[in-house]
Amino acid sequence: MDQPYEELRGRVVIVTGAAQGIGAATARKLGAVGMKVIVNDIEARLGFEVAESIVAGNGAAHFIAADMERHSEIERLVHETGELHGRVDCVVHCAYWSVAKDVVALSEVEWDKGMAIMLKAAYLLGKHTFPHMVAVGGGGMVNISSVHGFGAVPHYPVYGAAKAGLLNLTRQMAVDGGPHRIRVNAICPGYIQTRPLPGNAPNPEDMRIYPLRRPGQPEEIANAVLFLLSAQASFITGHALVVDGGLTAMLQDGSTAGWSDGKSAFGAQY
């Protein structure tokens, strides 16, 4: 019997924003199944540590620093990856930047920075990696969007706008890449606990809006990335996979508190 994800072994993947959180978990997960991982971030120390942890687990990884805000840096990242491995098969765009300000307080510089790193970088990564994927007969891209791509919360205009734009950019790249056997998908996480406990314990009251009553873990997003890059998702492209513990499935109109305080059909207290 074939080993799970055997088709990914030896394939080259760039993971942006891979020094910590979802990006780091994704890089480690892909390295564990035998992919050759390019760990990208602007945080060199943490990025090297992630790459070293993959190698320590008998995987293959290299750290390449590049700023997702700059076109020349993205182009260099892809070029160096091609020079190092002779191919580029996949890319996972996890890098992000945001700030909590409404549109009045948000500066134009901050708007441009957020849009560049979260949205424009995805376009540029596709621009420079897709020719490599065409050369090897196809490939895959996964963009980490957010449930914020579907709705808004106070004081995050650039984050919400970029994540929403990323969803339609994903669809567009899927349409254009499909004839070349390039699949492009997005993942929309809910609240993911990217910092370790105990200092980052979630407020139980905040978790009441999640049917699963807990935050997600970076590894759970990494599992979804692995699935979308694998042959198990061979007929999935242009899709936004929501991984949010049920957050977007449940109405948040104020009536949910009453339902949450009642007994479930299973006879247990929520």
Side-chain angles (χ1 to χ4, degrees):
M1 179 181 294
D2 292 339
Q3 293 295 315
Y5 309 112
E6 183 65 28
E7 80 281 358
L8 293 177
R9 185 171 297 278
R11 301 288 178 89
V12 178
V13 59
I14 298 170
V15 182
T16 72
Q20 51 194 323
I22 291 171
T26 297
R28 291 189 179 103
K29 175 69 68 173
L30 300 180
V33 300
M35 297 191 80
K36 297 178 179 178
V37 183
I38 299 299
V39 176
N40 160 255
D41 208 285
I42 58 173
E43 295 287 346
R45 181 182 62 82
L46 294 175
F48 274 117
E49 288 178 0
V50 172
E52 288 170 354
S53 71
I54 295 170
V55 173
N58 296 318
H62 289 83
F63 173 74
I64 299 179
D67 186 347
M68 290 296 105
E69 192 178 359
R70 302 182 183 281
H71 186 169
S72 60
E73 294 276 289
I74 294 171
E75 186 174 19
R76 176 182 57 79
L77 168 66
V78 177
H79 176 75
E80 289 186 12
T81 301
E83 289 286 300
L84 184 63
H85 291 299
R87 60 189 294 156
V88 181
D89 298 277
C90 302
V91 59
V92 183
H93 182 41
C94 299
Y96 86 101
W97 181 90
S98 190
V99 62
K101 295 181 180 180
D102 65 21
V103 293
V104 176
L106 187 72
S107 72
E108 186 177 1
V109 170
E110 291 168 330
W111 171 270
D112 289 345
K113 182 180 181 72
M115 294 298 282
I117 292 172
M118 291 183 284
L119 182 56
K120 184 179 179 181
Y123 140 67
L124 291 172
L125 286 163
K127 178 181 182 67
H128 293 295
T129 61
F130 282 13
H132 290 270
M133 296 180 193
V134 170
V136 297
M141 181 175 190
V142 176
N143 293 312
I144 304 301
S145 181
S146 172
V147 293
H148 290 247
F150 301 117
V153 298
H155 308 309
Y156 279 91
V158 67
Y159 187 79
K163 293 301 189 179
L166 189 55
L167 293 178
N168 220 47
L169 178 61
T170 294
R171 298 182 188 106
Q172 183 64 58
M173 291 194 290
V175 169
D176 294 335
H180 305 286
R181 299 182 65 190
I182 298 172
R183 295 186 301 106
V184 187
N185 291 291
I187 293 175
C188 299
Y191 173 35
I192 305 300
Q193 195 167 26
T194 56
R195 295 192 303 260
L197 292 169
N200 191 39
N203 184 339
E205 289 298 309
D206 293 339
M207 291 297 99
R208 287 159 65 91
I209 63 173
Y210 285 80
L212 291 185
R213 297 299 194 271
R214 67 170 180 85
Q217 298 301 313
E219 292 75 19
E220 292 176 302
I221 305 303
N223 288 337
V225 173
L226 176 58
F227 166 70
L228 288 174
L229 291 181
S230 77
Q232 295 183 44
S234 58
F235 202 53
I236 300 174
T237 194
H239 180 64
L241 177 60
V242 177
V243 186
D244 70 347
L247 173 67
T248 54
M250 189 166 76
L251 290 174
Q252 311 296 331
D253 63 357
S255 64
T256 54
W259 287 103
S260 298
D261 290 337
K263 288 187 175 181
S264 76
F266 304 106
Q269 286 292 135
Y270 278 120

